[in-house]
Amino acid sequence: MDTLYRGLKVTFLGEKQFVNYNGTKSSLHDVLCGIPQGSILGPLLFLIYINDLPCALKFTRTILFADDTNLYASHNNLNTLWNEINKDIESLVTWFKANKLSLNTGKTFYMVFSTKCTTHDLNIVINGNNIERKESNEFLDIYLDQNLRWDRHIMHCKAKLTSSIYAMNSAKRFLSSKQLLLLYNSLITSYLNYGLSLWGSAPAAKIHLNKLVVLQKKAMRIIAHAPYNAHTNDLFLRFRLLKLYDIYTKPKWAHTCLRNYIPYPLNHSFVITARIVTCTHTIRVMLEIYRHQC
């Protein structure tokens, strides 16, 4: 620990800074807090620095991802939820001041999640500034909407797939099926797989999922250099790829088999070749999520 401390001390202590404005430079001053921007250890030290933030909160839970922090809470009563959130926001502001950090209220907003349409605003205020309410927002490259319909995210995937298919179609004259398959796996598969267990199960999203199915079939015809109206069932088997609905349903079926939830007469119909231990979480509808960025 002494060696680590001395290394950090030599690296970050003793730094000087000055201001250059229109060719006029100020005198040098010591850097009393913070680290140089772009340093290799910067992200790690920042994570260590904010690691105790959840301990300052009583009613809300946190999702920390790099410099993106999300607070969320749920309650059956909207007024109680509002009181709990505002109490934790006061604690949050105090924590920021104690750690010499600033909260950018311009990039801070909140969302109210419910399966029913709600027009109730929570009137959240931070440092005298009213926080904007949003109906949808991107979270870790997944678009969340307040009613959890997922249509916004599916349309986002549709736009990405359309762009990727255009690139594949332009290059198919120069590439073999094997090379086009590599493009498919790198440009399309990631969008179809990421978060599918969430947005693929929404009843309201079925009509939008069909649009992705059409695009996936179009990509398969491009890979196989097949006509635009060719059937794709044999093409999926030939290239050993799963259809969109199979990508969603087969992992669910595998999970059912691993957990022994299938009827007893079917237990001996399947052989488990590999057992993967996973940590499953029950996802519940949150009534409120509040996010801030520095």
Side-chain angles (χ1 to χ4, degrees):
M1 291 299 294
D2 292 339
T3 303
L4 177 61
Y5 173 74
R6 286 196 298 269
L8 293 176
K9 184 177 180 180
V10 170
T11 304
F12 298 112
L13 294 184
E15 293 285 336
K16 304 286 185 178
Q17 66 180 1
F18 68 92
V19 177
N20 185 355
Y21 180 74
N22 288 337
T24 302
K25 298 181 181 180
S26 68
S27 57
L28 291 174
H29 292 275
D30 293 330
V31 178
L32 302 179
C33 63
I35 57 177
Q37 186 174 3
S39 61
I40 296 176
L41 290 176
L44 175 61
L45 294 176
F46 176 79
L47 293 178
I48 297 174
Y49 192 68
I50 67 169
N51 192 48
D52 65 330
L53 187 151
C55 300
L57 306 174
K58 182 179 180 181
F59 301 104
T60 58
R61 297 183 179 182
T62 58
I63 301 176
L64 302 177
F65 184 79
D67 61 344
D68 187 18
T69 303
N70 296 264
L71 274 62
Y72 67 95
S74 62
H75 202 280
N76 294 329
N77 187 283
L78 196 62
N79 292 326
T80 302
L81 181 65
W82 179 82
N83 290 326
E84 293 180 350
I85 291 172
N86 278 282
K87 289 179 181 178
D88 268 4
I89 287 179
E90 293 178 359
S91 300
L92 182 69
V93 172
T94 302
W95 185 92
F96 266 80
K97 292 180 178 179
N99 289 274
K100 299 182 179 180
L101 295 173
S102 61
L103 180 62
N104 190 342
T105 55
K107 294 183 178 180
T108 302
F109 62 89
Y110 75 93
M111 293 181 62
V112 179
F113 289 95
S114 174
T115 54
K116 299 180 180 179
C117 295
T118 175
T119 58
H120 298 289
D121 290 331
L122 295 181
N123 190 26
I124 298 177
V125 179
I126 300 179
N127 292 331
N129 298 314
N130 290 319
I131 303 304
E132 176 190 3
R133 175 182 174 179
K134 287 190 174 183
E135 296 182 356
S136 64
N137 185 64
E138 180 185 4
F139 176 66
L140 299 181
D141 208 30
I142 292 182
Y143 284 87
L144 302 174
D145 60 275
Q146 62 182 5
N147 300 124
L148 299 178
R149 295 175 57 88
W150 302 106
D151 50 348
R152 171 77 186 280
H153 178 74
I154 294 175
M155 295 308 294
H156 166 72
C157 291
K158 178 179 179 292
K160 293 295 184 180
L161 264 62
T162 301
S163 177
S164 300
I165 290 174
Y166 176 80
M168 292 176 59
N169 191 47
S170 300
K172 69 178 182 180
R173 293 178 297 173
F174 314 102
L175 301 178
S176 64
S177 294
K178 184 177 180 180
Q179 293 168 328
L180 289 171
L181 184 60
L182 289 176
L183 284 179
Y184 174 89
N185 288 327
S186 60
L187 299 178
I188 295 180
T189 302
S190 57
Y191 287 103
L192 295 180
N193 288 345
Y194 184 58
L196 181 60
S197 58
L198 288 174
W199 54 268
S201 60
K206 296 300 182 182
I207 186 173
H208 298 290
L209 283 176
N210 291 332
K211 299 176 182 178
L212 299 184
V213 171
V214 172
L215 290 175
Q216 188 188 28
K217 291 181 178 180
K218 186 174 182 179
M220 291 304 306
R221 296 186 184 102
I222 294 174
I223 295 174
H225 296 91
Y228 73 95
N229 58 351
H231 293 288
T232 57
N233 289 336
D234 293 337
L235 299 181
F236 278 102
L237 293 176
R238 172 183 169 188
F239 294 103
R240 306 186 68 177
L241 293 174
L242 292 176
K243 299 178 182 178
L244 178 61
Y245 290 113
D246 292 335
I247 297 175
Y248 170 69
T249 57
K250 290 194 174 181
K252 288 180 58 179
W253 178 249
H255 178 268
T256 303
C257 295
L258 288 172
R259 296 291 181 176
N260 294 322
Y261 293 153
I262 59 177
Y264 178 77
L266 298 178
N267 279 342
H268 303 290
S269 300
F270 303 92
V271 177
I272 300 176
T273 58
R275 182 175 294 273
I276 303 175
V277 179
T278 60
C279 180
T280 59
H281 301 274
T282 301
I283 300 175
R284 300 189 179 187
V285 174
M286 295 180 295
L287 295 179
E288 205 280 339
I289 183 170
Y290 158 85
R291 170 181 135 156
H292 73 77
Q293 292 178 332
C294 298

